[in-house]
Amino acid sequence: MKLNKKFLLLCYTLTLCAIVWYPANTVKRIEFPAEKPVEMKFRVRLYDPYDPMRGRYVRLQAFPDRVETSDKTSRFPWRSKEKIFAVLQRGKDGFAQVLRLEENIENLKKGEFAVRVSSCWYQRGYGREKGKNFYTFSLPFKQYFVNEFKAPLLEEELRKRSAKNKNMILTVCFFKDGLYAVSSLTYP
């Protein structure tokens, strides 16, 4: 074998190892955490889009999806590549509370967790909320994939609850190293 082919074989082997290492390491950190994760609940509204290519899943809109601020103008100019994090804390009832939005997550206190949000925009209150300012955002829990056999039951429950305008509860486990994993979708 020529030196050129040996070098290419080495590069391919290292690339393959890196491709396999990342997901395996992530699964290991979630399945065997160093510390017990903290579970937080989110109220979610969901709907069932029809998509034959992706299989059975429901789209989620997680709450709380906004936080009140004292800023008079937006301190997060909207750019698609900008990283903005919602700082969360578990409330007494087990549901997540959004404390603030941050660009840097290095200053988290004990009991606080951060999750990257998307579609963050500044909004002035109107009506009963006149004089207040808010940041509205989307949490990253947007899809929940379901087993093919459990999907019809979830879709039926979805129809019943959406007719009554009721929410479901999404449980998410937050780990100390910044990872999170969705554990269940239930109804109260």
Side-chain angles (χ1 to χ4, degrees):
M1 230 188 228
K2 290 185 179 179
L3 183 62
N4 222 5
K5 288 186 179 183
K6 287 182 182 178
F7 179 71
L8 284 175
L9 182 62
L10 177 68
C11 289
Y12 289 144
T13 305
L14 290 175
T15 303
L16 181 63
C17 289
I19 290 171
V20 171
W21 175 83
Y22 179 75
N25 187 41
T26 303
V27 168
K28 181 189 74 104
R29 289 186 342 201
I30 290 174
E31 292 296 324
F32 307 105
E35 293 182 26
K36 186 177 178 187
V38 174
E39 281 191 356
M40 287 191 222
K41 299 177 193 172
F42 293 86
R43 288 179 182 84
V44 292
R45 281 195 205 127
L46 45 113
Y47 61 94
D48 184 22
Y50 176 72
D51 190 352
M53 299 302 285
R54 292 187 186 178
R56 300 278 194 151
Y57 75 98
V58 289
R59 301 259 321 163
L60 305 173
Q61 180 184 3
F63 297 103
D65 63 346
R66 72 181 195 162
V67 63
E68 189 174 347
T69 182
S70 60
D71 298 343
K72 300 298 180 191
T73 59
S74 177
R75 63 183 167 117
F76 303 111
W78 189 83
R79 292 184 294 265
S80 61
K81 300 283 184 188
E82 185 172 344
K83 292 183 181 180
I84 302 172
F85 298 91
V87 178
L88 304 172
Q89 185 177 28
R90 183 180 174 168
K92 292 179 182 173
D93 56 356
F95 285 91
Q97 299 172 343
V98 179
L99 301 177
R100 63 189 180 279
L101 295 179
E102 292 285 340
E103 291 177 287
N104 190 353
I105 59 170
E106 295 172 359
N107 303 330
L108 293 178
K109 299 173 186 161
K110 186 176 182 179
E112 293 181 346
F113 297 91
V115 63
R116 186 175 175 185
V117 297
S118 60
S119 305
C120 182
W121 68 91
Y122 179 78
Q123 181 180 10
R124 287 192 170 86
Y126 55 89
R128 286 183 277 161
E129 297 176 336
K130 190 170 184 172
K132 297 180 181 178
N133 300 315
F134 300 95
Y135 284 111
T136 305
F137 50 85
S138 293
L139 289 167
F141 327 115
K142 295 181 182 176
Q143 296 176 345
Y144 186 77
F145 288 86
V146 184
N147 184 325
E148 289 289 326
F149 300 112
K150 295 179 182 178
L153 299 173
L154 183 62
E155 289 171 3
E156 182 62 33
E157 187 62 33
L158 170 62
R159 273 189 229 104
K160 289 178 187 176
R161 297 189 77 72
S162 61
K164 297 176 185 175
N165 200 18
K166 290 189 176 180
N167 295 332
M168 294 184 84
I169 296 175
L170 181 74
T171 305
V172 180
C173 295
F174 287 91
F175 299 89
K176 288 287 182 189
D177 56 359
L179 288 176
Y180 59 87
V182 173
S183 62
S184 68
L185 178 66
T186 58
Y187 45 91

